Amino acid sequence: MAESENGGAAKRPKTDADDEHRDAGERSPDSPVSDFEITRVLRECAREKNIFIHGKVKGQDAVVILEKTPIRQDTLSELLKSSRLHLEMKNDVYSSYQLQAPAHLNEIKTTVICPATEKHVKKYLHQEVFLVEESGEDYRTVTLPYISSQSFSVQWVHNILEKKAEADRIVFEDPDPVTGFVLLPDFKWDQKQLQDLYLIAIVHRRDVKSLRDLTSQHLPLLTNIRRKGEDTIQRQYGVPPSKLRVYFHYQPSYYHLHVHFTSLEYSAPGSGVERAHLLSDVIQNLQADSSYYQKRSLAFPLRADDGLLLKFKEAGKL
Ligand code: M7G
């Protein structure tokens, strides 16, 4: 089957042309946030300039994530020319201001999860974390039974693969049922700047939950994702492989194999050593030993309220 590229809408960063009309201040009639009733703040971070809120939309539980987006180089001169400045203080050569930017240069990336489950709420609630070391045996006896009954729905993944959602956002697709995948911008990236570039490659096959299921049989799939994912990102965004961090999460939140492609410049959540496994390391480990990921212990962080942590405690593993 032929591979396909969506070079149109996906070629980013976006320009502001699509945004012009938004300055009029009109409200989208089906806005899920205008009816949002705040229950509590789950987490906030002044440095990352984001806030995670739990609340209700028309009686349904919802999580809303607000995040100030990075200042873009391509709109800097417009920002400086067309904003209003209010002096806060002046002293010798120093002065500070509040700058009021035009609305289209002052957007807040907003993510809505509705209806949100208890698990979504917990995912974003600030919690103490513990490092768990899971042997291959622990995976089969503790983790696998737990994730089979408890994990997040992967309906959104199936929707992408079946073109029922986000079809216009697909940047590249290799439709091969065994080695194929779909590459598209991650939820977390607004595609307006390359600083925080974040795409995910979602595999077509549905029988691989995570890193733990991988064997040398999957090497053609993994090398295909690496090569075509990197080539596409180089072509579409001008970002070379040497500027990319390409990795799996273990544990992932969603148990359908996917690979994260992030800008090396961006400290993406979950890119630390306790959760991220570089695709290139995974390929080499499988080349050396087909059952590497079935046998070896893998460490990962679990939050205090994670049911899996309780299972590890009950099994006397913590
Ligand atoms: P993960 O390692 O399973 O979980 O990665 P994490 O969210 O704890 O990192 C799943 C990735 O898919 C994350 O980077 C999410 O931001 C992204 N993601 C999640 N959802 C529900 C969507 C979605 O609906 N669309 C897209 N494009 N990305 C999503």
Side-chain angles (χ1 to χ4, degrees):
M1 277 189 274
E3 286 162 7
S4 60
E5 259 180 59
N6 182 347
K11 213 172 248 177
R12 302 295 180 205
K14 280 184 196 164
T15 69
D16 282 326
D18 339 326
D19 299 339
E20 270 170 29
H21 66 282
R22 291 195 216 151
D23 264 7
E26 81 259 39
R27 258 173 47 170
S28 147
D30 55 352
S31 160
V33 290
S34 52
D35 291 332
F36 187 70
E37 289 164 32
I38 299 172
T39 310
R40 64 183 163 152
V41 171
L42 299 169
R43 174 156 44 114
E44 64 183 315
C45 178
R47 192 173 56 83
E48 291 170 10
K49 300 187 180 53
N50 58 22
I51 188 161
F52 299 71
I53 318 156
H54 177 205
K56 297 228 181 248
V57 177
K58 299 195 175 88
Q60 286 188 309
D61 272 295
V63 171
V64 169
I65 304 166
L66 303 177
E67 183 183 356
K68 295 223 178 181
T69 50
I71 295 167
R72 290 161 49 189
Q73 286 194 20
D74 61 328
T75 56
L76 268 184
S77 60
E78 189 191 351
L79 180 71
L80 295 173
K81 261 189 230 139
S82 58
S83 298
R84 278 205 242 157
L85 269 193
H86 293 284
L87 181 68
E88 289 196 321
M89 71 90 186
K90 188 162 173 49
N91 183 352
D92 188 34
V93 295
Y94 307 98
S95 48
S96 90
Y97 301 86
Q98 279 295 336
L99 180 149
Q100 290 180 347
H104 72 281
L105 297 179
N106 195 19
E107 290 177 330
I108 295 180
K109 181 177 185 323
T110 304
T111 307
V112 179
I113 304 171
C114 183
T117 63
E118 184 62 27
K119 207 167 153 70
H120 286 119
V121 174
K122 281 186 178 169
K123 177 172 159 82
Y124 296 112
L125 187 65
H126 181 74
Q127 284 277 314
E128 202 178 349
V129 288
F130 298 88
L131 197 74
V132 173
E133 196 151 311
E134 176 201 72
S135 66
E137 181 64 12
D138 294 337
Y139 173 71
R140 287 179 284 278
T141 58
V142 181
T143 308
L144 185 57
Y146 180 77
I147 61 176
S148 303
S149 63
Q150 293 289 325
S151 55
F152 278 126
S153 161
V154 289
Q155 186 57 50
W156 68 272
V157 172
H158 295 165
N159 290 346
I160 289 171
L161 296 176
E162 292 163 18
K163 318 286 160 26
K164 292 181 182 159
E166 304 188 51
D168 57 335
R169 286 162 43 89
I170 293 174
V171 181
F172 174 84
E173 176 169 19
D174 176 343
D176 188 284
V178 181
T179 59
F181 65 98
V182 163
L183 182 75
L184 79 167
D186 192 277
F187 220 22
K188 297 192 199 87
W189 187 36
D190 66 6
Q191 306 174 72
K192 295 213 168 171
Q193 58 285 309
L194 297 174
Q195 258 168 287
D196 57 347
L197 174 139
Y198 200 144
L199 293 104
I200 40 168
I202 301 176
V203 304
H204 271 298
R205 52 192 295 173
R206 299 188 180 190
D207 59 344
V208 192
K209 282 189 282 303
S210 74
L211 190 60
R212 272 287 185 209
D213 286 340
L214 294 174
T215 66
S216 58
Q217 177 222 322
H218 302 102
L219 282 169
L221 169 69
L222 302 182
T223 50
N224 193 43
I225 292 175
R226 180 170 62 178
R227 188 168 62 77
K228 292 180 184 161
E230 288 179 347
D231 283 357
T232 303
I233 292 173
Q234 165 96 64
R235 210 172 38 247
Q236 295 272 37
Y237 304 100
V239 177
S242 59
K243 300 291 254 176
L244 289 178
R245 187 188 294 109
V246 185
Y247 56 99
F248 296 97
H249 276 160
Y250 194 75
Q251 301 284 335
S253 296
Y254 303 96
Y255 290 89
H256 175 114
L257 194 75
H258 55 274
V259 180
H260 302 250
F261 287 74
T262 64
S263 163
L264 198 57
E265 314 282 331
Y266 172 51
S267 301
S271 58
V273 290
E274 73 279 34
R275 194 158 179 233
H277 296 256
L278 285 179
L279 176 59
S280 55
D281 285 343
V282 172
I283 289 174
Q284 288 187 63
N285 291 335
L286 293 173
Q287 283 166 341
D289 178 358
S290 173
S291 50
Y292 186 90
Y293 289 102
Q294 272 85 64
K295 290 190 302 211
R296 66 155 289 176
S297 287
L298 296 173
F300 49 83
L302 285 179
R303 297 143 52 85
D305 63 355
D306 194 314
L308 185 56
L309 188 73
L310 187 66
K311 294 287 173 202
F312 269 83
K313 282 187 181 154
E314 283 170 4
K317 307 282 177 186
L318 267 181

